Structures are given as structure tokens and as C-alpha cells.
Amino acid sequence: MCNKCKGNFYITTPIYYPSAKLHIGHSYCTVATDAMARFKRLQGYNVMFLTGTDEHGQKIEDKAKEAGVTPKQYVDNIVEGPGGVLDLWKLMNISNDRFIRTTDDYHVEAIQKIFKKMYDNGDIYKGTYKGKYCKPCESFWTESQLIDGKCPDCGREVQDAEEEAYFFRLSKYADRVRDLLENTDYLEPRSRVNEMVNNFIKPGLEDLCVSRTSFTWGVPVDFDPGHVVYVWIDALFNYMTALGFENQAHNDLAEFWPADVHFVGKEIVRFHSIIWPAMLMSLDLPLPKKVFGHGWLNFNGEKMSKSRGNVVDPYVLAEHFGVDALRFFLLRTFPFGSDGNFTNEMLISTINVDLANDLGNLVSRTIAMAQKYFGEHLPAEQLSNPEMDDELVNLVATLRDRYEEQMEHFAFQNALAEIFKVISRANKYIDENAPWALAKDEANKPRLAKVLYNLLESIRVCAGLLLPFMPATSEEIMKRLGNPASDWDSLIGFGLLNPEVAAVAGPALFPRIDMEKELAVLEELSAQAKEPEEDPLPEPLPEITFDAFEKVEMTVVKVLACEAVKKSKKLLKFTLNDGSKEPRQILSGIAEFYKPEELVGKTLVAVTNLAPRKMMGQISSGMLLSAERGEKLNLIMLDDSVPAGSRLV
Ligand code: MSP
């Protein structure tokens, strides 16, 4: 640790599955972690911020196969390729100190040693795995853990699985883990503790299957070829191997372990609050100080996913609204511990109200007035008026403490609310003091100078504390104020700014967005981004004999007339030439797909030996053949040269 530092602080994000491009929901946790890391640096801590990618597992192996490349090529492209994970974090201004890939050699070797250590101490043993496996989640479940027979995490179908496998004695640590959860602050928010204890520990913790033999893309168990280490063991230990645990690539373990906090999404709290501490207990290692389970972001009330065509692509959003605005929105709008609903309207209105109106206007109005009334810099002669000034001055002077209190509890939304209370108060202070009126009389100049100074000092403190959220904006505002002190010690109290401050104007920090116009653009982009979802194939029917098939009479028919059936939304009535002398009448439930007039004259196929039946009081003698998949329906139409009455064989 450096002499001047307050201490060490180690913070992590979950390492991402590079199984698909990341959406804005994935960025949420990394942006929050970045804000926390920058806050701690601002406070004066020596920070280690780790993120990375979790690259093993069957899902990746399958995806690579589908793409016709090796798993390593597949993950390399998503992690390091253009528009990949590394590019995204660069774009989002993520200040991670280290990036781990679980395919890094040092990590793979360390995982092998860790697995062997737990095998040697008896906490990993060989047995047979019988149970259920959720492929997308790469999770094993017992029958009793399933919800309605499906994966309790994602609700998808699970498969039967049976194979020789290694197990970790999770059951042995049940009491210690329960004690950790119930009697310490290890897991936050507190509501997640009850969820873990009631859903997983009380029903009985079973030993965990920690190796697989049905695929190869994983860390091989070096003393038993054919087995690969369960992806979650591989993944969880990244938090330590990245610091040099069981490897020589890094050497920061003594400085940074145990971690101060792991930020994780709510669905992986189970792994971090039960399995992770149990494995550390098995190896007699210090436990992380805290796991914080944040909520999920939905989009317009639905789960986020690219295939839904939502504009949740962080690249698109950042290009349209700017990186800082996007970072700000994520942390200003949603309480970190709860779920939130992302909408484009909310994003635009947050930018317009908080950033364009409140912050942006405060900065541009104040600097414009300072330049207009005083030119290059404010004069040293300034006149206070405690009655008018004290409320704002006190609010600014004590802001850092209120902000810090919220940040220490990861309450980003509340910390920002404290800053924006000051920004609003400062805007009101402009109206109360009406600098434009003061400027009319030369005698008021010292008072006018003080009013503008108070505003510029308020802006400095707010911009300094906004740094963890909007690093580029904070820097830009400081530049406009002539780069005054903005370290932690300078952000408490009032009056540190040089009275003769030389402020420089610049373009609008956050131009106002035309809501209607921008929503239309996003709508258009959303439609373009939509990857059509394939309708599922219909269930296959039981086999029939050739004889049975031959008994179906399929005849070519021509449409003589077609009309809607009164009072029925679905039925069309066809008069058909089936090659015989008498016209045939068939009713067909296809009114939502075709207009009657467009079918007259068409050559279709009908089953003509079906027993007639009555529909809406009318006889239907047969059935028109159509092709159906999902919501779509197409009548089978033939070339008009095929004569009516021809038989399909
Ligand atoms: N690889 C594991 C983590 C291993 S950590 C030892 C994993 N990866 S993930 O890519 O599927 O998810 C990474 C993180 O993104 C998780 O914390 C998850 O909760 C978070 N999110 C994914 N979609 C999200 C939202 N829509 N909203 C908020 N967070 C979301 O899990």
C-alpha cells in the first residue's frame, strides 16, 4: 500500500459469459462497480478493480460448433474482437485495473491446483451424478429443487443426467454458511439472506457436482483425464487467481485479499453466498468481506434480450445519448438493490431534466454571466450577504458527508439525489439573486461577484463528486473552471475555489433531446435490430400406414366464388369446381389471412372424401389444404394450368 493511501480496496464484477454480445443490462453492474471504484480512489484508497470473462462450459462449446470455429476462436472474437467486451468497457469508460480471462494459462493451472487441494483434503470425492442439468445455466439440480419440473433459475427445461463425477462436500459447510449469512453482514441487501436460507439452506444443502465428462471445453482435472472442472468453480476462483493465488503471474494477494465487495446480479447470489464461502472454508482461506446482490434491469417490463429487438445495445445507446448520460441514467434512476424497468422515455427525460436543464443550465448560465459581467476573471472584491447565501453555502459545505454516507452503502441513487438537491438549490439561488438586475448598477458589482463566485464554487464541489458517475463531464466542468483542486479534501467545506476564478464557456454539456423525434429514431432502430424468432416446429404426429394415407382423397379445385360467412370472424365460404358437374361448398377458417375476392379463380387442393359437417348452419363438404407454422397460414395454391378434378397422389 502507498504511504499516502487510506487503505486498500478490492472490488469485482461478475466475469461475463461471452456467449453473446453484451446488452445494457450487463453494463449495469460494471458501470456501478466502476462508479464505486472511482469513488474509493477519490476518497484516497489504493483500489484494485477486477473484471473479466468466464469462457468455459458446454454452452460456449456448442456455440463455437454452431459457428464452425474452435471454442477459443469463438471467445477470442467476442472478448477481443471489434465491438467485443474489451471494446465495450473502453467505450463505457470503465477503469478496471485488471482483466482476467478464465482461459488465461495462469488461471487454468491455478484451478487445477485448487481442485487437487480440495481432493487431497477430502472435500472433493468421486461419485455418480444422477440428476437434472440446465444447459443454458450450466447448473445441476436435484428433483426437489426444480420448480414445476423446470430450472429454478431460468425456468427452462432440464435434462436427465447420469455420469461418474467429482463432488464437493457442500453439505459439510451448511451450518457455517448459514451462520455467515444470518449473523454477519456478508450478504446484502438483507432480503437476499432470507431468500438463500429459506430456498437453499433450510431444505438441506446437498454435495455439489463439480466435474463433467460430457464435454471437453473446460479446465481439465489433471489427475483424471476426461473430467473437466465445473464451470462455477473455475469462475469463482477468478477473484483470487487474478491476484496471484496458486500462480506466479500476479503478486497482489497479500495486499488485496479478502475482497472488500463482490458486486453480483441477483440470480448468481446463490453461487457467491453459499458455494463460494464454502469452498474458501474448505481451503481455510479468508472470506470476502461482502457480496452485494443487485437487481435486474428489464426493458419495457420484459426481460432484456437482443432477440426481442429492444434497443438495449450499449453501443447504440452510447452513440445516441453519450456515455456519461447513459452511465448517469443507470445509477440515478434505479435503486441498486432492486429490479428496475428501463424505458427510452425515462432515459430521455432524465437527460433532459437532470442533465440538460438542471446541471447543464447551471453551468452554462453561471459561466456566461461571469464572462459577460466581469470578462476574464472575477474581481477579488466580493460582498457576502449571509441571509441570501447561507442556505446554499451550508448545503454545499456538508454535501460530501451526506454523499459519502450513501456511497458507502452502495446507494448510488441517493448519493446522486444529494448532489442534485444542491444543483436545484443553486439554480434557485440564481433566480433569488437575479444577477442580471444586480449588473445594472455598478455599485452592486462586489455583490454580483460574490453571487457568481458562490455559484462557481457550488459547481466545483458538485462536479468533483460527480466524477465517479460521469468522469468525462466532471473533467470538462473542472476544465471550464480553470482546473481547480478537486481531490477529496477539497470537496468538503466551502470557499476553496480561487476568488478570482477565470471561468471559460463551452458548448452545451447536454443538449436537450427532442423526445418525440428521438423515440421515433429508436423505434426504427429497434425494428432493424429485431432478430426474427423462429416459430417452433409443430409436434410430429404418430406414424400411419400407407393404406391409411391412400384413403385420403385430395383433389384439385378451382374457386368459383368466395364470401365471408355472416357473424363469423373466421370463416370463408367457398364455391368450388372439383371437376364434377355439381359445385362443391367448403367452409374454411382462414378469414384473417385472405380477403374473399383475392381467392376467386385460384387453383387449390381440397380433401374431398371427408364426411360433410355443419358450420354456422352451413354444410362444408371437405377441407382446403393449407400450410401452417406458428401464426402463419398459406393456402396450398397450384399452377392454374392444373385442371380441376385432378387427384393428388
Ligand atoms: N459468468 C457468470 C458470472 C461468474 S462470476 C464468478 C455470469 N455471467 S453473465 O454474463 O451471464 O452475467 C454477468 C452479470 O450480468 C450477472 O451479474 C448478471 O446478473 C448481470 N446481468 C445480466 N442481465 C442483466 C440485466 N438485465 N440487468 C442487470 N444485470 C444483468 O453470470
Side-chain angles (χ1 to χ4, degrees), residues 282-385:
S282 163
L283 293 172
D284 234 348
L285 292 166
L287 306 181
K289 293 178 202 157
K290 196 173 290 304
V291 168
F292 190 92
H294 66 78
W296 268 52
L297 289 191
N298 296 319
F299 187 87
N300 288 339
E302 285 181 56
K303 207 174 153 185
M304 258 188 211
S305 90
K306 275 261 176 105
S307 62
R308 293 214 168 119
N310 313 323
V311 178
V312 289
D313 184 333
Y315 281 96
V316 173
L317 292 171
E319 186 182 314
H320 272 257
F321 303 108
V323 169
D324 272 6
L326 193 54
R327 289 174 56 114
F328 173 81
F329 170 70
L330 291 174
L331 299 176
R332 163 80 159 142
T333 316
F334 312 108
F336 193 46
S338 326
D339 289 348
N341 188 29
F342 187 115
T343 67
N344 290 328
E345 287 90 336
M346 270 165 87
L347 171 60
I348 295 170
S349 94
T350 302
I351 294 173
N352 282 346
V353 174
D354 286 344
L355 297 182
N357 244 15
D358 291 356
L359 174 65
N361 270 345
L362 175 64
V363 173
S364 58
R365 282 205 293 172
T366 304
I367 295 183
M369 288 190 287
Q371 287 191 319
K372 180 170 170 196
Y373 302 135
F374 295 105
E376 249 173 40
H377 59 83
L378 294 188
E381 198 196 343
Q382 300 184 358
L383 181 66
S384 294
N385 177 348

Side-chain angles (χ1 to χ4, degrees), residues 516-540:
E516 236 169 80
K517 224 159 112 190
E518 193 58 29
L519 282 179
V521 173
L522 289 173
E523 190 99 337
E524 174 62 20
L525 281 168
S526 175
Q528 285 169 13
K530 199 164 194 140
E531 292 165 12
E533 272 176 48
E534 283 244 317
D535 286 313
L537 281 175
E539 285 292 309

Side-chain angles (χ1 to χ4, degrees), residues 13-19 22-29 53-54 59 232 234-239 263-268 272 294-298 303-304:
T13 68
I15 49 172
Y16 291 82
Y17 275 129
S19 63
L22 303 185
H23 52 61
I24 193 69
H26 291 117
S27 308
Y28 180 50
C29 186
T53 41
D54 176 8
K59 198 161 48 171
W232 270 100
D234 174 3
L236 285 163
F237 272 100
N238 91 87
Y239 300 132
F263 277 178
V264 305
K266 61 177 184 177
E267 88 291 8
I268 58 173
H272 286 82
H294 66 78
W296 268 52
L297 289 191
N298 296 319
K303 207 174 153 185
M304 258 188 211

Side-chain angles (χ1 to χ4, degrees), residues 3 27 38 82 89 103 109 158 179 205 228 288 298 336 384 386 388 397 420 488 495 533 542 565 594 631 633 637:
N3 293 336
S27 308
R38 287 177 185 272
W89 295 156
T103 50
E109 284 161 27
V158 289
D179 182 52
L205 270 190
V228 293
N298 296 319
F336 193 46
S384 294
M388 300 292 279
F420 275 78
W488 189 243
E533 272 176 48
V565 172
Y594 292 99
E631 310 273 279
L633 179 142
M637 292 194 193

Side-chain angles (χ1 to χ4, degrees), residues 193 377 422-423 489 543 624:
V193 170
H377 59 83
V422 174
I423 291 174
D489 289 344
E543 194 175 273
L624 291 171

